[in-house]
Amino acid sequence: MQCDYFDRGVCRSCTLMGQPYADQVLDKELRTRELLHDASEAAFDATGTAVEWLPAITSPESGYRNKAKMVVGGTVQRPTVGILDHRQRGVDLRHCGICTPGIRHALPVLAGFIADAGLIPYDVAARRGELKYVLVTESPDGELMVRFVLRSEGQLPRLREHLGVLRAALPNAVVVTANLLPEHKAVTEGDREIVLTERETLSMRLGDVTMHLRPQSFFQTNTHVATELYAQASAWIDEVSPSSMWDLYCGVGGFALHAARPGRAVTGIETSREAIRSAKQSAREAGLEGVRFAADDATEHALRARSETVPELVVVNPPRRGIGETLSTWLEESDVRHVVYSSCNPVTLAKDLARMPSLRLRRARVLDMFPQTGHLEAVTLLSRG
């Protein structure tokens, strides 16, 4: 992929830009295999069966990212949407090539709307102004969620007043919100969300499963690869055919909803109440029985479980820090027969697997969720004995 922003030195966020794509994927596979080598050897020594490494799942090189987190800078008359430079000045990236075509179309429209509505960009260095970020997510069906991150409610009346203009310019912006972030700190959003449209959720249709995404809920940023990830995990789960499973760190319920089957008891656990609301709505609309979701800490949920309620299979999809020592130890000492571990950080994945020697690594696959960067997703199947 060629990127003018990268070539001009304007943005170097995509650290692998310009490297042949096949080489990027191969490097990620080799790095992941090396990190998981000890676990692979343990599995071979104990069972005589080597780990099965499936071919990497690739992505389109460009236009893959379904969510843009853009810093708003510049002036009211000439706003920038992109990043900040080393002097904390706005750098415009409205034509960023890794964003989906729908987002690339929307960003210039949003920049024009910011100017026309008179929304005041936040000046990080001076700590004044109002509009900090614009966050845009595109669904597989081309609908958009647009979120304006504001320092205060001061410009809410102006945003409401011009909402019709925005909807006319971007008719596929079906969810529009204002998020309030009064603090001056390095986070993208605050706790309070004000929905400005009738619709509150973005429908994310992946294959036969439709998930509802609320403004403060996590969703995989690469729709194509996310579809493959859920399909792979579901295939492994169906192969071992558990009668019960947990989906820990479930987000909006991706793994749980895809793996739900008649007669299979499925529980999804996630700390975000907004994500759990979304997951419950999706399960209800799909008519899924035997599927429940609860807002809770994954580790605390496991530690409180009675022995008779421990499932046959557990899916974990933690943030980059991994599941950690406490949950790894609990899984190692539990009666859980199988674990599907989806990780965005093979370093912490390897550390967690080392804490669970009784759960042998059986299968593994790298998914290139983040082309042009060094990041990746890896999904593994572990089985006891």
Side-chain angles (χ1 to χ4, degrees):
M1 173 185 169
Q2 185 272 333
C3 173
D4 289 340
Y5 295 127
F6 186 87
D7 292 344
R8 299 200 314 267
V10 171
C11 174
R12 292 300 175 95
S13 299
C14 295
T15 55
L16 302 184
M17 188 67 68
Q19 181 177 337
Y21 184 60
D23 292 348
Q24 293 183 31
V25 176
L26 179 60
D27 288 346
K28 292 177 185 183
E29 280 194 286
L30 294 176
R31 176 158 52 94
T32 304
R33 287 186 181 227
E34 182 178 358
L35 285 166
L36 303 188
H37 173 76
D38 291 342
S40 302
E41 289 299 306
F44 181 83
D45 293 342
T47 66
T49 303
V51 176
E52 180 183 3
W53 281 90
L54 281 73
I57 291 175
T58 58
S59 165
E61 294 184 44
S62 62
Y64 68 83
R65 189 174 176 89
N66 61 29
K67 183 173 184 178
K69 300 180 180 181
M70 295 297 189
V71 179
V72 179
T75 64
V76 176
Q77 295 78 19
R78 299 185 64 183
T80 61
V81 288
I83 59 175
L84 297 179
D85 65 14
H86 67 285
R87 295 182 181 178
Q88 298 185 320
R89 298 174 304 186
V91 175
D92 199 273
L93 301 178
R94 67 183 69 184
H95 301 294
C96 176
I98 65 170
C99 294
T100 60
I103 292 177
R104 289 203 304 273
H105 168 75
L107 290 176
V109 176
L110 288 167
F113 170 76
I114 291 168
D116 293 341
L119 302 178
I120 305 170
Y122 183 68
D123 186 325
V124 174
R127 300 195 180 191
R128 62 171 178 259
E130 287 294 322
L131 180 58
K132 296 184 174 184
Y133 299 92
V134 62
L135 313 178
V136 188
T137 303
E138 184 179 18
S139 78
D141 295 321
E143 294 182 331
L144 298 178
M145 176 188 293
V146 179
R147 302 170 63 204
F148 295 93
V149 182
L150 303 170
R151 187 173 69 162
S152 72
E153 295 187 33
Q155 295 214 293
L156 261 179
R158 188 176 291 273
L159 192 54
R160 292 183 189 276
E161 177 186 350
H162 290 81
L163 182 60
V165 175
L166 175 61
R167 299 293 300 279
L170 277 180
N172 56 335
V174 296
V175 182
V176 181
T177 75
N179 177 274
L180 299 184
L181 177 61
E183 299 88 358
H184 179 88
K185 57 182 181 181
V187 296
T188 309
E189 61 187 58
D191 295 330
R192 186 180 173 197
E193 198 88 24
I194 301 169
V195 180
L196 304 176
T197 48
E198 182 178 346
R199 278 183 55 179
E200 298 183 354
T201 67
L202 191 64
S203 299
M204 306 296 286
R205 182 177 53 82
L206 274 63
D208 296 330
V209 176
T210 297
M211 291 169 280
H212 288 276
L213 183 65
R214 291 181 183 275
Q216 297 191 42
S217 301
F218 168 80
F219 195 85
Q220 299 284 4
T221 57
N222 188 321
T223 303
H224 169 78
V225 176
T227 303
E228 298 289 341
L229 171 63
Y230 294 136
Q232 180 62 83
S234 297
W236 286 345
I237 292 168
D238 285 343
E239 182 180 321
V240 300
S241 191
S243 61
S244 57
M245 65 167 274
W246 289 350
D247 180 4
L248 302 182
Y249 312 92
C250 72
V252 295
F255 289 102
L257 294 167
H258 280 82
R261 301 288 184 272
R264 180 179 296 165
V266 178
T267 299
I269 300 296
E270 165 64 46
T271 56
S272 168
R273 295 188 180 277
E274 287 297 294
I276 290 299
R277 285 181 64 197
S278 299
K280 287 181 176 180
Q281 180 179 350
S282 300
R284 183 171 60 252
E285 291 184 0
L288 296 176
E289 298 181 359
V291 179
R292 77 176 191 92
F293 294 95
D296 198 358
D297 177 80
T299 301
E300 293 300 320
H301 175 81
L303 294 177
R304 288 196 306 269
R306 301 187 304 273
S307 59
E308 64 269 21
T309 63
V310 172
E312 294 179 34
L313 182 144
V314 171
V315 177
V316 292
N317 182 31
R320 290 187 58 79
R321 64 178 180 272
I323 64 175
E325 183 176 359
T326 302
L327 184 53
S328 296
T329 300
W330 183 88
L331 285 166
E332 168 66 16
E333 297 174 352
S334 74
D335 292 328
V336 173
R337 300 297 305 169
H338 308 279
V339 174
V340 173
Y341 192 140
S342 181
S343 169
C344 60
N345 185 353
V347 174
T348 54
L349 170 62
K351 291 179 180 178
D352 288 336
L353 295 190
R355 299 185 183 108
M356 301 184 289
S358 296
L359 287 157
R360 305 294 186 182
L361 179 61
R362 304 300 188 190
R363 292 181 184 164
R365 194 167 202 178
V366 168
L367 302 96
D368 193 21
M369 192 77 75
F370 315 98
Q372 316 307 332
T373 79
H375 299 295
L376 60 91
E377 191 82 13
V379 62
T380 61
L381 173 65
L382 318 174
S383 295
R384 195 172 296 280

